[in-house]
Amino acid sequence: MAISLQKGQKISLNKEAGGELTQVKLGLGWDVAQGPQDKKGGFLGKLFGGGSGDSIDLDASCIMFDSNKQAVDAIWFNQLQSKDGSILHTGDNRTGDGDGDDEVINVDLSKIPANVVSLVFTVNSFTGQTFETVANAFCRIINADNNAEVARYNLSAQGGHTAMIMAKVYRHNNEWKMHAIGETASGRTFHDLMPSITPHA
């Protein structure tokens, strides 16, 4: 049974999975909010249709940090694999349609370089649409060996921000843990978010 995380909560992934985790998937999902806030005019409204049932393009990223809170590498839609091969982004979903994960980042924890102590996962709106148009956003950790969900963090933060720092997976006492962050931010790509991301690294 997967644990449902609250904002700020930290868990041991191995304990929740009932054994050592090596291959994990971080799934991120969202829906387009239905309601009056969807009826947008202007360029974005024309681009996305302006009514309910529109698409929204959110992009998931993973930034790898060392113990000095220096970014070592970043995995995002312009670089789908880490330079060391330990992390693989499955690609960009531009709609949020359908059930389940909209974007998935595969992580081989056994191959994360020793100097990397944390992985921070973010999601941002490249097109500039705010989270007022997003509903049911979540991130979850899945044990890739058996596809069992280990932990899930549901986000309720709708508002005028264009990005969110979702969660961190980090080493502590030789085991991997997860921290549900859920902090709002603004930016089209993870580069814009770095001043907000780094304190959480």
Side-chain angles (χ1 to χ4, degrees), residues 116-175:
V116 173
V117 298
S118 65
L119 314 171
V120 179
F121 296 90
T122 67
V123 63
N124 53 271
S125 169
F126 183 74
T127 53
Q129 289 166 290
T130 70
F131 273 62
E132 289 167 337
T133 63
V134 177
N136 306 321
F138 68 86
C139 66
R140 66 189 189 123
I141 290 277
I142 303 135
N143 182 346
D145 291 332
N146 59 11
N147 279 326
E149 184 175 294
V150 178
R152 173 182 288 256
Y153 179 35
N154 292 315
L155 299 119
S156 58
Q158 284 188 304
H161 52 283
T162 57
M164 179 163 283
I165 303 163
M166 306 276 276
K168 174 173 74 169
V169 172
Y170 64 101
R171 295 185 211 255
H172 182 71
N173 292 337
N174 296 318
E175 67 173 317

Side-chain angles (χ1 to χ4, degrees), residues 31-198:
D31 296 318
V32 177
Q34 305 297 313
Q37 71 268 29
D38 290 332
K39 296 180 168 42
K40 304 179 292 293
F43 172 72
L44 281 180
K46 293 188 180 82
L47 185 65
F48 291 94
S52 60
D54 299 340
S55 63
I56 181 166
D57 181 13
L58 295 183
D59 298 311
S61 302
C62 172
I63 303 92
M64 307 171 78
F65 287 93
D66 65 18
S67 59
N68 296 316
K69 296 197 174 189
Q70 295 297 308
V72 175
D73 201 356
I75 299 85
W76 60 306
F77 65 83
N78 267 356
Q79 182 189 309
L80 293 177
Q81 185 167 340
S82 61
K83 295 181 180 73
D84 56 62
S86 63
I87 300 176
L88 176 66
H89 195 310
T90 60
D92 191 14
N93 178 323
R94 300 193 171 204
T95 64
D97 287 344
D99 295 328
D101 304 319
D102 291 302
E103 294 197 9
V104 175
I105 298 175
N106 295 298
V107 182
D108 186 339
L109 295 173
S110 67
K111 290 184 179 177
I112 299 290
N115 67 313
V116 173
V117 298
S118 65
L119 314 171
V120 179
F121 296 90
T122 67
V123 63
N124 53 271
S125 169
F126 183 74
T127 53
Q129 289 166 290
T130 70
F131 273 62
E132 289 167 337
T133 63
V134 177
N136 306 321
F138 68 86
C139 66
R140 66 189 189 123
I141 290 277
I142 303 135
N143 182 346
D145 291 332
N146 59 11
N147 279 326
E149 184 175 294
V150 178
R152 173 182 288 256
Y153 179 35
N154 292 315
L155 299 119
S156 58
Q158 284 188 304
H161 52 283
T162 57
M164 179 163 283
I165 303 163
M166 306 276 276
K168 174 173 74 169
V169 172
Y170 64 101
R171 295 185 211 255
H172 182 71
N173 292 337
N174 296 318
E175 67 173 317
W176 288 99
K177 297 194 170 188
M178 181 180 181
H179 176 200
I181 298 172
E183 292 292 336
T184 60
S186 290
R188 297 176 70 232
T189 70
F190 80 89
H191 299 91
D192 303 327
L193 308 180
M194 288 304 289
S196 299
I197 296 170
T198 303

